[in-house]
Amino acid sequence: MKFNLLKHTGTYTYLIILSIFVLFPLVFSFSQSLMTNQEVNRWPPPIIPPSPILTNYETVLSQPDLKLVLWLRNSLFAAAAYTTAVLLICAPAAYAFARLKFPGNNILFGLLLLTVMLPSQVTLIPNFLLMRDLKFLDTFHALIWPGAANVFAVFLLRQFFMQIPQELEEAAILDGASYFGRFRHVILPLSTNALTAMGIFVFLGHYNDLLWPFITTSSLEMRTLPVGLQILNSSYAGQYRPLVLAGAVFATVPIIIVYIIFQRRIIKGVVMTGMGGR
Amino acid sequence: MEKTDAIVTSASATKQNRQPFQMRLRTREAIAAYIFLAPFIIFFSIFVVRAVLSAVNISFYDWQILRPSRPYVGFANYQELFNDYVWWIAVRNTIIFTAMTVTGTTIIALTAAVAVTQNIPGAGFFRVLLYMPTLLSVGVVGLTWVWMLSTQFGIINYGLSFLGIRPVNWLGDENLVLPALSLTTIWWGFGFPMLIFIAGLQGIPEHLYEAAKIDGANGRQLFFHITLPLLRPSILFVTVTGVISHFQVFGQPFIMTSGGPGRGSFTVIFYLYDIAWRAFRMGYGSAVAVALAIIMGIFTLIQFRIVGRRVDY
C-alpha cells in the first residue's frame, strides 16, 4: 500500500495540535503534582519536576479532612448501583415499547417524549424534598433511585430492540417461550453491545454529577468524588497547590486505566449510540 | 343436509372460538407489556411526573424550608423573578457561555472527526486520545484548568508571554471569565460530538465523493457541498443536545470561580442552587426551574426550525 505522507501533512499537523491541546493540561497537572509548593509558585512555571517527590500524594491521602479513597469508592459504588437499576428498570420497558401491543402505548410514549425536553433541574427541588421526607438524605438511596427511570436509556434501547429481526422471536414463540423467555433468551443476548454502550453512558453521567450529590449528601463519609474535589480545592488551593493537583491526578488515574483497557468497546459503543441518536 | 349443517355449525363455532382466543392472546400481550413496564412506570411517576407537577405547584407558594407556614402567592414568584436583575444577569451569562461553547465544540468536533476518518495510519489512536477528557469528572477538569488559567503562575499566561501578551487575569476579569470557562468546557466535552460526527461521516456513501471528484471538485468543495449538507442530522443532534446540556452548566463556575468575579460567571443553575439551598426559598427556586424549562423549550423549538428543515436527505 502506497502512503503519501505529504498529502496528509495538514491532517497530521492538525491532529498533533489537537493532541497537545488535549494532553498538555493532564501532563502538566501530573508533573506539578510531583513538586513542592515553592517549586510550583515560580515564574516561569516549571514543567519538568527538578526532583520529583511523592509526598503530596501521601499527604492528600492521609489528611483527616479529606477522604479521597472513600469518596472514590462512594462514587464507583453509587454509579454502579445506579447503572444496574437503570438497566433493570429501563430495558424491560424499552422491550414493551419496541415489541408489544398494549392500550395506552402512544399516550405513554408521548409523555416520555415530552419529559425528555424538560431540563432535569425542574425535578431538583421536589425530589430533594421527597428525599428529605423519606429520610434518604445523606444515604446511597438518594444517589441511586431518583434518576432510575432514565427516559434516554429507554429511547436508545427501544431503538436497538426494534432493529432485531422479528423472525428470531417467532422461532422462540414456536418453541413455546413466554414473553419473559423471549426477552431474556432472544432479545437480551443479541443486545449486549447496546446494553454495554448504554451502561457506560449512564455510569459516566452519574459518576460526573456534581449538583445532586452536593445537595443530598452532607457528611464527609457520604460525599462523592466530584463533591470531594470541590472540598479539596476550596480548602487547600490557596495554601498548597500541588496537593490539589495530586488529588486531581488521583481521581483521574482509575478512569484512564479503565479507558485504556476498554477503549475499543467504549468508542464503538458511543459511536453506535450516536447513530441511534441520529 | 344434516352434514352441511354440521359443517356450517362447526365452522361458525371455530370462528366464535377464534375470536375469544385472539382476544385472550391480545389481553395476555397487554398484561405482559404492563408487567414489563411496571417498574419503569412506578419510578417515572414518582420522580419525574410527580416531581414536575410538584415543581409547578410549589412555584405558586411562598415556600421557605425553615418556615412552617407556606402561603399561596399566585404568580408573585414569577413577578419577582421577572424583575430580579440577578436572574437576568444569570440568563445573559448562560446564553453567552452556551453560544460560545456550542459553536467552539461543534467546530473542533467536526474538524477532528473529519481528520480521524481519513484513511491514514494512527487515526484510531488519535480517536481514542481525543475522546479522553470527556471521561474526566468536572472536579478534575475544574482543578486542572483553574491552575492553568492562574494569572501569576499559569502556564497559559506563560505561553502568551512569548507573543508579547502581558499576564491576563482570566478568571478574575468579568469580560474574560466566560470565554475562559468556555475554553475549559470545549476541552472537556468535544469528544462526544466528535464521535457523533464520526458515526455520521461513516454513513455518507463513498460513491458521492467519487462522482464529485470525477466532476473535478476539490477538497473544500467536497466538504461544503457533500459532507456538510449530509451531516445535517448529526449537526442538529450535536447542537440541540449541546445547547440543552451547556445551558445547565453548573460545575465549572461552581468549582473554578464560585460564580465570580462579582456575578461574572453566575449561571442559571447556579442561581437556582443559590436560591434553593443557600436562601432556602423553595417556592421561588421552583419558579426559577419552571422558567428555565420554558426558556429551553423555546430554544429547542427555534433550533428545530432553523437546522431541522429538511433533515432527511
Side-chain angles (χ1 to χ4, degrees), chain A residues 12 14 19 21-22 29 32 40-41 43-44 101 103 121 126-127 132 146 179 201 204 208 214 241 252 259 277, chain B residues 29 34 47 50-51 65 111 121 126 128 135-137 140 144 147 152-153 158 187 192 196 237 248 269 273:
Chain A
Y12 274 117
Y14 186 58
S19 304
F21 174 58
V22 161
S29 303
Q32 290 219 329
V40 163
N41 291 318
W43 188 266
K101 287 193 196 73
Q121 281 82 4
N127 282 344
R132 189 195 58 168
Y179 288 102
F201 251 119
L204 281 176
N208 282 331
F214 189 78
R241 180 70 59 174
T252 312
Y259 181 54
Chain B
E29 187 168 341
Y34 284 123
F47 293 112
R50 180 206 60 89
I65 210 163
T111 48
F126 283 114
V128 170
L135 300 167
L136 303 179
S137 135
V140 172
T144 304
W147 188 230
Q152 224 185 332
F153 304 111
Y158 179 62
W187 176 82
F192 175 62
I196 302 284
F237 181 75
Q248 302 176 35
I269 302 295
Y273 162 75

Side-chain angles (χ1 to χ4, degrees), chain A residues 48-85:
Chain A
I48 296 157
S51 52
I53 48 162
L54 284 172
T55 39
N56 295 322
Y57 288 89
E58 286 162 23
T59 317
V60 84
L61 292 177
S62 62
Q63 210 65 246
D65 59 338
L66 300 173
K67 301 198 178 303
L68 283 171
V69 180
L70 185 63
W71 293 336
L72 175 68
R73 226 167 55 200
N74 286 347
S75 274
L76 293 177
F77 173 75
Y82 172 71
T83 309
T84 314

Side-chain angles (χ1 to χ4, degrees), chain B residues 30-255:
Chain B
I31 291 171
Y34 284 123
I35 293 172
F36 276 106
L37 283 165
F40 180 81
I41 291 179
I42 291 169
F43 279 88
F44 184 70
S45 313
I46 297 173
F47 293 112
V48 182
V49 178
R50 180 206 60 89
V52 171
L53 297 176
S54 168
V56 175
N57 181 42
I58 294 174
S59 75
F60 292 116
Y61 289 85
D62 181 13
W63 183 313
Q64 310 212 12
I65 210 163
L66 302 173
R67 229 186 272 159
S69 77
R70 290 155 187 168
Y72 177 80
V73 293
F75 282 93
N77 285 326
Y78 291 96
Q79 264 165 6
E80 185 182 342
L81 184 66
F82 197 80
N83 296 316
D84 185 347
Y85 78 99
V86 181
W87 156 255
W88 290 112
I89 291 175
V91 170
R92 178 189 149 271
N93 288 345
T94 313
I95 291 176
I96 294 173
F97 171 84
T98 305
M100 286 189 297
T101 311
V102 172
T103 311
T105 304
T106 309
I107 292 171
I108 294 192
L110 182 56
T111 48
V114 171
V116 295
T117 44
Q118 307 293 316
N119 196 9
I120 52 171
F125 165 78
F126 283 114
R127 215 179 272 197
V128 170
L129 181 70
L130 296 181
Y131 185 69
M132 199 162 62
T134 305
L135 300 167
L136 303 179
S137 135
V138 65
V140 172
V141 175
L143 267 49
T144 304
W145 277 83
V146 153
W147 188 230
M148 303 248 310
L149 291 163
S150 149
T151 315
Q152 224 185 332
F153 304 111
I155 192 82
I156 290 180
N157 278 345
Y158 179 62
L160 290 175
S161 71
F162 290 105
L163 304 173
I165 298 170
R166 301 189 34 183
V168 180
N169 191 359
W170 293 105
L171 299 176
D173 184 324
E174 279 200 27
N175 296 317
L176 293 175
V177 64
L178 290 175
L181 291 183
S182 186
L183 176 70
T184 308
T185 310
I186 293 168
W187 176 82
W188 183 29
F190 83 89
F192 175 62
M194 178 187 77
L195 294 185
I196 302 284
F197 286 133
I198 291 175
L201 289 167
Q202 285 169 347
I204 298 177
E206 193 63 33
H207 65 81
L208 289 178
Y209 290 105
E210 308 286 336
K213 273 183 207 158
I214 291 169
D215 291 344
N218 63 25
R220 182 182 299 178
Q221 284 170 325
L222 291 181
F223 181 77
F224 282 104
H225 294 290
I226 296 179
T227 311
L228 220 48
L230 289 190
L231 269 187
R232 210 175 184 142
S234 307
I235 295 174
L236 176 73
F237 181 75
V238 164
T239 50
V240 169
T241 53
V243 167
I244 290 174
S245 73
H246 295 308
F247 210 83
Q248 302 176 35
V249 59
F250 172 72
Q252 300 92 307
F254 185 64
I255 289 171

Side-chain angles (χ1 to χ4, degrees), chain A residues 93-142:
Chain A
Y95 175 70
F97 279 122
R99 282 295 162 83
L100 302 180
K101 287 193 196 73
F102 57 94
N105 184 343
N106 290 334
I107 298 170
L108 199 56
F109 198 70
L111 195 63
L112 258 63
L113 268 174
L114 208 69
T115 54
V116 92
M117 307 279 270
L118 289 172
S120 58
Q121 281 82 4
V122 175
T123 62
L124 214 57
I125 290 175
N127 282 344
F128 171 80
L129 294 173
L130 181 65
M131 291 296 111
R132 189 195 58 168
D133 296 342
L134 291 172
K135 306 261 181 290
F136 276 0
L137 288 183
D138 212 27
T139 68
F140 278 111
H141 290 298

